[in-house]
């Protein structure tokens, strides 16, 4: 039984904190949102100050800036962590940033696991995430109780921070483009008399299928844009991908165009909806009515 | 046992003709390439003039123009087909074109099945294609022996020509974009230390996967660009998609960008290679060396 803090109780972090609790760990939940902390405390979690002998800090925030603030900002936690404790950093960040954080943690005697997560909020709550992890053998060993509690699959991608974040960026490039392409193809089909439900029925069995198509296209068929993962994730994550690409002088034209479609979806006011709502950009541009919309 | 003609003995048509032969049908093979006809005759097929009582004509050519020439050109076959025979049109064509061909065949008393194919040359030779078909009940009934001989899955998409071609266009949009996106992501990963084999190993189990990624990325890992399906297919097929889209006033920006990557691959001299060679565009642009290339 470990002492674990989950910092960031958003749609992913809250479920991961629940999964740690369910696995029997003494778990602290920390968020700027007091309601989330109170709710977690009501479920058996801890809401007070972190203990001096904390074993594991999982950082489940939005990006590099928030990760750095949590670790090394004015009220940063690393200064107060005991030697040998491990930081598990779960945000999508540039590989170079992860490497820098590993170095700064090492100076404080704290281990660092570069550990971006994938799978969505339902899998987070069920302890079934995929984690793309890299770090020293000591970091993996120290992180194991939290990894076991939250993940179904842990990819061990290397012995230093950076490799995990690199693979996550690659995965996000594909996932984001595939969602937008699914929306482009589904709405294109509508102009040719292919209904959204026929699209899902046939294409999911054909060479044009993708994991994201099978997962997201049914949301459009159902007209259900309850956010499992929101449109707003993609300008952020594809932006990180393109920043990394630019630094490496790598031209990524398809990613760049897909990003624009999510930006347009946010601009139309759908940023908080499920990311399948990127289909609304295509539908509006072409004068189409999606399932569940008024004609 | 039916009398079937397969017109167009390219990488798909030749295998389909073999599958008809294997199923016990009396099968004629027709191509402008005399070598292909002689080869098919040597395997037990027929190479002479089509019989007056032909049951089924499968047209396995490249595009709408070739389909129209085969059916209604100077030496077009429809004029000589018996009433009640069926044309199975397998090329990727605009839905409106398929509808027009159906009408013209009907005037000659000939049935028409709009039946684009999917699956590649290996599945063609094994009788395991997917066929996206639409047409009258009579057309389906008349075509059944040839469909049974060549297809594992026949999607019955409607009672008139057009619906099959529409679904094929949707599938090609996705398949083409997914190949180019796989190439973009795989080479992007290389700039961040993700090796091509690690890419396949991890991403194929993640949300970023696609049918095309799992099928084509291993070709890059192996440095094997033997064309199962060539780069040259995609400027053609994505061009058809964009022509249909433009006619419908549908904006398809991701498809448009993916098309350009295949055009660049052809421009670099890789048009006859496996379509995974679109990765060479990204690699050259970024100064990367793919597996099997000299550094």
């Amino acid at each position: 039984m470990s002492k674990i803090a989950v910092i960031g109780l958003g749609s992913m972090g809250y479920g991961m904190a629940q999964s740690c609790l369910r696995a029997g760990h003494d778990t602290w939940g920390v968020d700027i949102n007091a309601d989330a902390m109170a709710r977690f405390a009501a479920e058996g979690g801890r809401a007070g100050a972190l203990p001096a002998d904390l074993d594991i800090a999982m950082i489940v925030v939005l990006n590099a800036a928030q990760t750095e603030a949590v670790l090394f900002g004015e009220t940063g936690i690393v200064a107060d962590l005991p030697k040998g404790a491990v930081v598990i950093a779960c945000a999508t960040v540039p590989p170079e940033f992860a490497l820098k954080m590993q170095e700064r943690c090492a100076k404080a005697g704290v281990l660092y696991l570069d550990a971006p997560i994938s799978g969505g909020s339902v899998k987070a709550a069920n302890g079934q995430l995929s984690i793309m992890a890299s770090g020293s053998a000591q970091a993996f060993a120290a992180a194991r109780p939290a990894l076991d509690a939250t993940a179904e699959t842990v990819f061990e991608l290397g012995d230093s921070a950076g490799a995990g974040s690199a693979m996550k960026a690659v995965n996000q490039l594909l996932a984001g483009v595939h969602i937008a392409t699914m929306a482009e193809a589904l709405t294109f089909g509508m102009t040719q008399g292919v209904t959204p439900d026929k699209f899902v029925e046939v294409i999911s069995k054909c060479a044009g299928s993708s994991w994201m198509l099978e997962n997201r296209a049914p949301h459009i068929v159902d007209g259900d844009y309850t956010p499992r993962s929101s449109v707003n994730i993609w300008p952020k994550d594809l932006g990180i991908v393109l920043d990394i690409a630019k630094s490496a002088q790598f031209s990524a034209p398809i990613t760049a165009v897909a990003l624009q479609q999510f930006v347009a979806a946010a601009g139309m006011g759908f940023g908080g909806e499920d990311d399948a709502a990127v289909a609304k950009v295509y539908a509006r541009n072409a004068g189409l009515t999606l399932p569940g919309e008024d004609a």
Side-chain angles (χ1 to χ4, degrees), chain A:
Chain A
M1 181 160 156
S2 301
K3 292 185 178 175
I4 301 176
V6 177
I7 303 180
L9 298 175
S11 65
M12 298 297 286
Y14 196 92
M16 292 167 74
Q18 288 177 305
S19 293
C20 289
L21 214 51
R22 198 181 328 109
H25 300 296
D26 203 4
T27 309
W28 278 255
V30 181
D31 201 279
I32 48 171
N33 177 349
D35 287 351
M37 289 178 69
R39 199 179 129 211
F40 184 60
E43 291 192 37
R46 305 256 213 159
L50 301 185
D53 58 346
L54 190 74
D55 298 302
I56 298 170
M58 300 191 97
I59 319 301
V60 196
V61 295
L62 215 53
N63 54 29
Q66 291 184 6
T67 300
E68 186 163 12
V70 165
L71 296 179
F72 300 107
E74 241 178 279
T75 56
I77 62 166
V78 171
D80 296 324
L81 288 178
K83 291 208 187 300
V86 63
V87 164
I88 303 178
C90 299
T92 300
V93 302
E96 282 180 25
F97 172 84
L99 208 52
K100 207 183 300 171
M101 290 299 106
Q102 174 182 258
E103 284 168 17
R104 288 178 69 182
C105 282
K107 281 183 190 149
V110 168
L111 300 164
Y112 185 92
L113 195 71
D114 180 22
I117 52 182
S118 173
S121 56
V122 174
K123 291 201 167 182
N126 291 335
Q128 297 177 322
L129 290 172
S130 289
I131 301 189
M132 301 177 186
S134 67
S136 66
Q138 298 94 309
F140 269 108
R144 192 60 61 188
L147 299 178
D148 287 345
T150 56
E152 186 174 78
T153 308
V154 178
F155 294 104
E156 303 196 6
L157 297 170
D159 59 6
S160 170
S165 286
M167 190 65 83
K168 178 68 192 293
V170 169
N171 188 64
Q172 292 307 87
L173 184 166
L174 289 156
V177 171
H178 289 170
I179 292 169
T181 305
M182 173 277 292
E184 185 162 310
L186 183 147
T187 49
F188 167 70
M190 289 174 69
T191 70
Q192 302 302 308
V194 176
T195 61
D197 59 329
K198 203 75 182 170
F199 172 92
V200 171
E201 180 194 331
V202 175
I203 297 294
S204 63
K205 295 183 201 115
C206 290
S209 195
S210 70
W211 193 97
M212 278 296 177
L213 185 149
E214 290 174 44
N215 188 268
R216 300 300 208 271
H219 301 176
I220 300 173
V221 172
D222 298 340
D224 178 5
Y225 299 96
T226 311
R228 289 70 149 188
S229 181
S230 73
V231 164
N232 281 334
I233 293 292
W234 293 108
K236 174 180 83 64
D237 278 14
L238 294 182
I240 291 171
V241 168
L242 291 175
D243 284 345
I244 299 170
K246 192 171 63 179
S247 295
Q249 298 188 305
F250 180 85
S251 167
I254 300 176
T255 308
V257 170
L259 167 62
Q260 296 306 316
Q261 300 303 96
F262 289 108
V263 168
M268 285 179 176
F270 306 128
E273 294 193 2
D274 189 80
D275 51 24
V278 70
K280 297 183 181 183
V281 175
Y282 290 96
R284 287 195 178 188
N285 284 351
L288 299 167
T289 303
L290 293 171
E293 290 186 330
D294 290 328

